[in-house]
Amino acid sequence: MTSTEREFITGLPKAELHLHIEGTLEPELKLRLAQRNGVDIGQTTVEQVQASYEFHDLTSFLAVYYPAMNVLVTEDDFYDLAMDYLRRAAADGVVHAEIFFDPQAHTSRGVSFKTVIDGLWRAVQDAPSLGVDAALIMCFLRDMSAESAMETLTASAPYRDRIVGVGLDSDERDNPPEKFAEVFARARELGYRLTMHCDIDQVGSIDHIRTVLHTIGVERIDHGTNIVEDPALVAEARERGIGFTCCPVSNSFVTADMKGDEIVQLLHDGVKVSIASDDPAYFGGYVVDNMLALAEKKQLTRDDLALLARNSLEISWVDDGKREVLLARLDAYLSEQ
């Protein structure tokens, strides 16, 4: 696509709803935080850190991803991490960001829940100065126990006003959604919004999607494009207005086609599909890069791209008044094109 098309995509007012803040740890920041905190990461140059961001599947990715978090120690570290992302999001035309964070990945190595949430919350409060509205979604690590997840949910109670919802991420193998059914039921009682990862092409993907829709009762599904295997589930998702947060660039590390056909099929079938960047420091693309990659691969029209942006705003967890304001901004932008 031309630079004009990139400019069009960038200008679209959009929400990013599938973004792991730990996955925005760019090599430059990782090295700076390591030096600031006296953490030996085994690398001394940005180029060496970049070379360490190598993986070929989910397991090898996680083996790089979690150790990198050792440089995140203080409240200021989490603030700097989030602000670096928010500046990039603002440059990409993101007007609302719902940011995943993984408290267990930090509390398990001795960093307090308070340190994590205080740093991220400061960034959320400062986000409007960049033109972005932000919110936090607390994710549970599915390869840890349900008991650990429940403990984390309990620990979040004093900070309930800072967290809009809960999610579920990390390694899906042998960790089906029903493992966390009680945790999510309790989260619903506490007033949290619910989403869950249903990663692409996992063993039992379609069964996991069925579970999160029928048993867990989520409002959104992260990834989830395997739903096309069951047309009845697609119809149900459309009728219920279930949102899907899809990440083409990270998908391309798992499948050669980035699940492009499935994303476009769902989009044209009226399912509320949106595009996001997942772990952009590792996969090499923020939200505009993801939309552009999908557009180029699948010859999307401007109407398709506008619909992706509209979906992202419609399935976001802002209040209705804010949503109408954001949708009006999108309409105004499109009327000028």
Side-chain angles (χ1 to χ4, degrees), residues 280-302:
Y282 293 88
F283 296 117
Y286 287 80
V287 67
V288 167
D289 301 311
N290 274 264
M291 294 181 74
L292 187 61
L294 181 65
E296 291 176 337
K297 184 86 170 181
K298 297 302 170 185
Q299 293 79 53
L300 298 188
T301 67
R302 285 193 168 192

Side-chain angles (χ1 to χ4, degrees), residues 260-277:
D261 287 340
E262 291 86 345
I263 294 170
V264 174
Q265 177 184 331
L266 291 168
L267 179 71
H268 292 166
D269 281 349
V271 177
K272 298 291 186 182
V273 175
S274 68
I275 300 299
S277 60

Side-chain angles (χ1 to χ4, degrees), residues 18-323:
H18 186 153
L19 184 285
H20 301 272
I21 198 60
E22 294 89 353
T24 69
L25 183 62
E26 293 286 348
E28 294 83 358
L29 180 60
K30 180 182 177 183
L31 185 60
R32 188 164 76 247
L33 295 182
Q35 293 169 342
R36 184 161 88 187
N37 294 319
V39 177
D40 182 4
I41 58 173
Q43 301 105 31
T44 58
T45 69
V46 171
E47 291 74 21
Q48 289 173 341
V49 178
Q50 288 172 330
S52 74
Y53 283 28
E54 292 291 336
F55 44 87
H56 55 83
D57 58 15
L58 178 61
T59 300
S60 60
F61 163 66
L62 295 175
V64 174
Y65 184 70
Y66 287 117
M69 296 182 199
N70 288 332
V71 303
L72 297 166
V73 179
T74 70
E75 177 184 325
D76 285 345
D77 297 340
F78 288 94
Y79 174 81
D80 290 346
L81 177 68
M83 288 302 292
D84 269 17
Y85 160 69
L86 288 165
R87 281 187 282 269
R88 289 184 172 90
D92 268 2
V94 173
V95 293
H96 177 71
E98 295 178 8
I99 299 169
F100 293 142
F101 72 106
D102 291 332
Q104 290 159 290
H106 310 298
T107 56
S108 63
R109 56 187 180 85
V111 178
S112 71
F113 193 106
K114 183 179 188 301
T115 295
V116 177
I117 194 71
D118 283 352
L120 296 178
W121 182 245
R122 277 173 52 204
V124 167
Q125 291 177 303
D126 287 349
S129 68
L130 302 171
V132 184
D133 175 65
L136 298 175
I137 298 175
M138 179 178 68
C139 288
F140 306 112
L141 300 182
R142 65 197 312 155
D143 42 7
M144 295 183 73
S145 68
E147 290 77 16
S148 175
M150 189 66 84
E151 290 169 3
T152 301
L153 180 63
T154 301
S156 75
Y159 309 99
R160 175 65 191 86
D161 60 337
R162 301 182 182 184
I163 302 170
V164 68
V166 298
L168 183 67
D169 60 18
S170 200
D171 198 342
E172 194 164 337
R173 295 174 306 167
D174 301 318
N175 295 297
E178 54 265 31
K179 173 181 173 182
F180 299 92
E182 184 179 349
V183 178
F184 273 72
R186 177 58 181 153
R188 178 184 288 106
E189 291 174 356
L190 294 173
Y192 286 114
R193 314 291 291 268
L194 305 184
T195 187
M196 272 191 177
H197 277 53
C198 290
D199 293 331
I200 63 172
D201 296 348
Q202 299 292 301
V203 174
S205 284
I206 194 65
D207 294 325
H208 292 182
I209 292 169
R210 189 174 291 110
T211 298
V212 301
L213 288 175
H214 296 164
T215 303
I216 309 299
V218 299
E219 302 169 64
R220 293 202 308 244
I221 296 176
D222 305 308
H223 298 303
T225 46
N226 286 86
I227 196 172
V228 300
E229 298 167 16
D230 187 335
L233 279 183
V234 173
E236 179 182 346
R238 180 178 60 246
E239 291 163 8
R240 289 173 54 183
I242 300 295
F244 287 77
T245 65
C246 301
C247 308
V249 172
S250 66
N251 287 352
S252 69
F253 282 76
V254 180
T255 173
D257 194 47
M258 67 172 62
K259 288 294 180 180
D261 287 340
E262 291 86 345
I263 294 170
V264 174
Q265 177 184 331
L266 291 168
L267 179 71
H268 292 166
D269 281 349
V271 177
K272 298 291 186 182
V273 175
S274 68
I275 300 299
S277 60
D278 207 357
D279 299 282
Y282 293 88
F283 296 117
Y286 287 80
V287 67
V288 167
D289 301 311
N290 274 264
M291 294 181 74
L292 187 61
L294 181 65
E296 291 176 337
K297 184 86 170 181
K298 297 302 170 185
Q299 293 79 53
L300 298 188
T301 67
R302 285 193 168 192
D303 285 345
D304 292 328
L305 293 164
L307 182 54
L308 288 168
R310 186 175 303 280
N311 285 347
S312 73
L313 298 174
E314 289 183 345
I315 65 174
S316 68
W317 289 340
V318 297
D319 63 50
D320 290 343
K322 178 70 172 179
R323 181 178 293 102

